[in-house]
C-alpha cells in the first residue's frame, strides 16, 4: 500500500470516527528542518528541545485554505491534512455558483488555476473568458477566466482541485494547467475533492476544529440574480446556524468592513469573533495607520483585525525584527490581531518575497520563518497565524505553550 493510498484510508477513518483524538496529530519532518536551519541562539535551543514533543491541536495554528503548500487548496484532502497537523482552526473561503450555492474557493474567478476545468471542454467553453493560447513570439500571455458563477453546483462538482498555478505562456489548455511552482509539489494532487461551504462545515465538525470562513468579494455585479451583498453575508452565517454550530466556534472574515459591520448588526453572536481582513497598506501605498482609525474600527464592533505579516513588523537599528507602528496601534486600541500567511513564500534565501517585505534585509534562510513567528507571537501578541503548512505553526505553539 503506497503513502497516498494509506493517507486516503486514514482520512476516511478520521471522518468516520469523528474528531482527531489527542496523540493522533503528526507534524512530519519540516519543523525539524526549519529549526536546524535557524541561526544559533536561545530561540533555536528552545525549539530544539521541543523536537521530540508530542503534537497537540492548537487554535494558534490556522490552516490557510487547508494545507495548501502541498495539497490542492480548499479540498477535502487539504482540510484533513491541516487537521492532522494540529490546526485548531481551518478556513473555507466562501463564494457562490451560478445557482447561488455557497462553495469553498479562494476567489470567485480562480477555477482556471485551482481546478482542472480546462480539461473538460464542455465546461471550459462556458468560462467567462474561454482559453486563448499564448503567443510566445509576440510575448503575449494566455488569457482565460473561469468563475464559480459560470457553473451550476452539479457542474462545479465535476471538477477536481489541483495545485494553484498556471503556465501563462502555454499554447494549450493542458500545458496551461501544468504550472505548479518548483517549491510545491503535485505529489498529493491526484485527488482534490471540491466542497460546498455546508459540506466543509460538516467535515470540520467531524475533525473537531473551529472554522474561519472568509466571505469573498464577488467579481460579478451585486445583486446577482436577486442575491444582495447583505443576503450573501447572511446566507454564510445561516449555514452555520442550520448545522448547529456554536457561534464561538466560528471566526467569520471579510476584507470588506461593511460585511463585518453587517454581522455586528444582524448576527451579533457570530460577530463577537468577526475578523476584518486589512489590506489597506498594500492597496494604497500612501495609507498610514492611526490610533483614531484603530479605535474607530474597534468602536464599530470589530473584535479582530488581520493584516499581512509584513504590516506587523519592521527591522530596528540593531537589525532585530520588532513590532511595527501598526502593531502597536492595534494593541493600544484593544483589537485582537491575527495575521497571514506563513509558509506561502517558498524558500527564504531571497529575502522571503512579498510577505517578508519589511524584514527582507534580515531574512536569508528558511529558519528565519521561526524567528519571525516568535516575534509575531511574543512581541506583537497575535492570537493566531494562518499557514499553508500548519505543522510549522502547531509545532511552535506547542513548544511555547500557546
Amino acid at each position: 500500500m503506497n503513502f497516498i493510498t494509506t493517507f486516503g484510508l486514514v482520512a476516511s477513518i478520521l471522518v468516520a470516527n469523528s474528531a482527531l483524538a489527542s496523540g493522533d496529530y503528526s507534524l512530519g519532518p519540516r519543523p525539524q528542518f526549519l529549526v536546524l536551519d535557524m541561526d544559533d541562539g536561545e530561540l533555536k535551543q528552545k525549539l530544539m528541545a521541543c523536537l521530540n514533543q508530542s503534537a497537540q491541536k492548537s487554535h494558534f495554528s490556522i490552516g490557510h485554505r487547508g494545507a495548501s503548500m502541498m495539497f490542492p487548496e480548499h479540498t477535502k484532502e487539504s482540510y484533513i491534512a491541516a487537521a492532522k497537523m494540529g490546526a485548531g482552526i481551518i478556513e473555507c473561503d466562501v463564494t457562490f455558483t451560478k445557482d447561488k450555492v455557497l462553495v469553498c474557493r479562494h476567489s470567485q474567478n480562480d477555477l482556471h488555476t485551482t481546478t482542472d476545468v480546462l480539461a473538460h471542454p464542455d465546461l471550459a467553453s462556458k468560462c467567462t473568458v474561454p482559453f486563448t493560447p499564448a503567443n510566445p513570439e509576440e510575448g503575449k500571455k494566455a488569457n482565460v477566466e473561469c468563475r464559480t458563477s459560470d457553473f451550476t453546483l452539479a457542474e462545479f462538482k465535476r471538477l477536481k482541485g489541483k495545485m494553484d498555478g498556471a503556465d501563462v505562456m502555454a499554447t494549450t489548455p493542458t500545458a496551461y494547467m501544468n504550472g505548479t511552482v518548483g517549491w510545491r509539489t503535485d505529489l498529493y494532487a491526484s485527488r482534490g475533492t471540491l466542497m460546498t461551504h455546508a459540506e466543509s462545515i460538516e467535515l470540520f465538525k467531524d475533525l473537531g476544529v473551529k472554522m474561519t470562513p472568509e466571505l469573498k468579494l464577488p467579481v460579478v455585479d451585486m445583486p446577482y440574480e436577486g442575491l444582495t451583498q447583505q443576503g450573501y453575508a447572511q446566507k454564510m452565517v445561516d449555514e452555520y446556524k442550520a448545522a448547529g454550530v456554536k457561534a464561538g466556534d466560528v471566526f467569520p472574515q471579510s476584507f470588506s468592513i461593511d460585511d463585518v459591520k453587517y454581522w455586528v448588526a444582524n448576527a451579533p453572536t457570530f460577530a463577537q469573533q468577526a475578523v476584518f481582513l486589512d489590506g489597506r497598506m498594500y492597496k494604497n501605498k500612501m495609507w498610514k495607520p492611526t490610533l483614531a482609525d484603530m479605535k474607530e474600527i474597534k468602536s464599530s464592533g470589530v473584535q479582530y483585525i488581520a493584516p499581512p505579516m509584513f504590516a506587523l513588523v519592521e527591522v530596528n537599528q540593531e537589525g532585530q525584527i520588532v513590532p511595527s507602528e501598526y502593531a502597536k496601534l492595534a494593541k493600544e486600541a484593544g483589537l485582537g490581531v491575527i495575521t497571514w500567511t506563513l509558509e506561502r513564500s517558498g524558500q527564504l534565501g531571497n529575502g522571503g518575497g512579498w510577505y517578508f517585505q519589511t524584514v527582507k534585509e534580515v531574512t536569508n534562510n528558511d529558519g528565519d520563518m521561526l524567528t519571525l513567528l516568535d516575534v509575531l507571537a511574543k512581541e506583537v501578541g497575535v492570537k493566531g497565524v494562518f499557514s499553508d503548512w500548519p505543522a510549522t505553526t502547531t509545532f511552535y505553539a506547542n513548544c511555547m505553550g500557546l
Side-chain angles (χ1 to χ4, degrees):
M1 182 179 290
N2 62 31
F3 176 76
I4 295 177
T5 303
T6 302
F7 186 86
L9 176 60
V10 171
S12 298
I13 292 172
L14 290 178
V15 174
N17 292 335
S18 192
L20 285 158
S22 177
D24 282 343
Y25 303 101
S26 176
L27 304 184
R30 185 155 179 79
Q32 178 172 289
F33 170 81
L34 294 176
V35 173
L36 293 176
D37 197 46
M38 294 178 69
D39 298 332
D40 290 336
E42 291 184 10
L43 178 59
K44 181 174 183 176
Q45 293 306 310
K46 167 67 175 174
L47 294 174
M48 284 281 290
C50 295
L51 288 176
N52 293 321
Q53 182 175 310
S54 297
Q56 301 293 327
K57 179 174 67 177
S58 173
H59 294 126
F60 180 84
S61 179
I62 306 173
H64 183 241
R65 314 183 200 179
S68 55
M69 185 168 76
M70 296 179 72
F71 287 80
E73 64 183 49
H74 291 308
T75 62
K76 181 178 181 179
E77 293 75 18
S78 186
Y79 293 149
I80 292 173
K84 184 70 173 176
M85 295 180 203
I89 305 172
I90 300 179
E91 176 189 47
C92 164
D93 288 327
V94 179
T95 186
F96 52 86
T97 61
K98 185 175 184 178
D99 42 357
K100 296 176 284 189
V101 177
L102 301 186
V103 294
C104 299
R105 286 290 91 198
H106 176 64
S107 171
Q108 192 175 44
N109 61 339
D110 70 1
L111 294 184
H112 49 286
T113 65
T114 66
T115 76
D116 66 345
V117 63
L118 298 182
H120 303 267
D122 62 321
L123 298 182
S125 66
K126 297 182 178 183
C127 290
T128 296
V129 179
F131 179 79
T132 301
N135 187 328
E137 293 182 0
E138 297 181 6
K140 291 183 179 180
K141 297 179 181 179
N143 190 27
V144 60
E145 182 184 353
C146 302
R147 302 175 176 178
T148 58
S149 53
D150 290 333
F151 308 106
T152 64
L153 176 62
E155 292 170 330
F156 176 82
K157 281 291 197 170
R158 289 174 54 194
L159 306 179
K160 184 184 79 171
K162 73 176 191 66
M163 295 302 291
D164 185 15
D167 179 357
V168 297
M169 297 308 296
T171 57
T172 68
T174 300
Y176 182 87
M177 290 188 291
N178 187 23
T180 303
V181 296
W183 51 269
R184 288 180 172 168
T185 180
D186 287 321
L187 184 62
Y188 306 118
S190 59
R191 181 172 62 245
T193 308
L194 302 193
M195 305 196 78
T196 66
H197 176 237
E199 288 172 339
S200 79
I201 294 172
E202 293 304 319
L203 176 64
F204 295 163
K205 286 167 61 179
D206 285 338
L207 294 172
V209 299
K210 295 191 177 186
M211 313 167 197
T212 183
E214 180 190 336
L215 193 75
K216 302 305 297 189
L217 300 179
V219 295
V220 295
D221 292 335
M222 300 293 278
Y224 173 77
E225 298 186 357
L227 180 66
T228 65
Q229 183 66 28
Q230 294 76 20
Y232 174 36
Q234 186 63 50
K235 187 172 185 177
M236 188 184 85
V237 171
D238 285 346
E239 292 198 349
Y240 289 95
K241 294 179 180 179
V245 177
K246 296 183 296 184
D249 288 341
V250 184
F251 295 79
Q253 319 167 69
S254 179
F255 274 99
S256 168
I257 192 71
D258 290 337
D259 289 339
V260 181
K261 289 179 178 178
Y262 173 85
W263 292 322
V264 169
N266 298 279
T269 55
F270 284 86
Q272 290 177 17
Q273 296 187 146
V275 182
F276 170 46
L277 297 164
D278 193 359
R280 294 173 295 175
M281 70 293 300
Y282 62 85
K283 293 177 181 177
N284 178 1
K285 298 299 184 182
M286 302 302 293
W287 180 85
K288 299 294 182 184
T290 66
L291 182 58
D293 173 67
M294 293 292 185
K295 286 184 174 180
E296 182 179 351
I297 291 172
K298 175 69 174 179
S299 65
S300 71
V302 177
Q303 300 303 313
Y304 293 95
I305 195 166
M309 296 187 302
F310 72 79
L312 295 171
V313 290
E314 60 189 25
V315 178
N316 66 13
Q317 293 183 343
E318 288 73 41
Q320 301 168 321
I321 300 175
V322 296
S324 66
E325 184 68 9
Y326 181 108
K328 295 173 184 176
L329 294 176
K331 182 177 181 179
E332 187 174 349
L335 287 163
V337 179
I338 298 169
T339 194
W340 42 278
T341 305
L342 204 69
E343 298 277 30
R344 196 162 182 81
S345 304
Q347 297 171 347
L348 303 187
N350 63 353
W354 191 84
Y355 290 96
F356 288 76
Q357 59 187 273
T358 56
V359 295
K360 62 182 180 181
E361 63 192 89
V362 295
T363 302
N364 54 33
N365 60 58
D366 293 341
D368 288 334
M369 199 174 309
L370 291 170
T371 303
L372 172 60
L373 186 57
D374 190 60
V375 174
L376 290 169
K378 292 181 178 177
E379 298 184 45
V380 175
V382 298
K383 305 298 183 183
V385 177
F386 283 87
S387 176
D388 279 10
W389 200 242
T392 300
T393 41
T394 300
F395 165 74
Y396 176 86
N398 287 176
C399 186
M400 297 301 173
L402 300 181

